Amino acid sequence: MSLVELQRYADPMLAQIVRGRLEAAGIPAFCFDTGMNIAEGAPLAVQARLMVLAEDLEDARALLAEDEGPGSDRDAAT
């Protein structure tokens, strides 16, 4: 079992929120580098990486695509 990168986030809190969404759906997820921007003082230098197991990558992508699809909260805000 190996971890692969699902997505990168400039906002480490958003990475944690998405990780929680994946875990709620039964997909184990991990955030790497979430404290690097604070430690280095450069907000966009190192982005937080959201990692999943290689065998869960397609399911995770599908779940995130559902969340961003038509009728999502993001569409309602615009």
Side-chain angles (χ1 to χ4, degrees), residues 49-67:
R49 296 178 292 150
L50 184 59
M51 311 293 284
V52 296
L53 296 172
E55 57 265 24
D56 292 331
L57 182 61
E58 292 306 315
D59 291 339
R61 284 181 177 161
L63 183 68
L64 295 184
E66 279 179 22
D67 289 349

Side-chain angles (χ1 to χ4, degrees), residues 6-51:
L6 173 62
Q7 205 160 341
R8 289 182 184 229
Y9 296 89
D11 181 352
M13 289 305 297
L14 181 56
Q16 293 289 356
I17 291 168
V18 175
R19 180 194 61 79
R21 171 68 176 106
L22 292 168
E23 296 222 339
I27 300 172
F30 308 90
C31 289
F32 291 176
D33 304 325
T34 56
M36 292 303 295
N37 289 341
I38 295 167
E40 298 298 324
L44 297 176
V46 179
Q47 295 185 337
R49 296 178 292 150
L50 184 59
M51 311 293 284

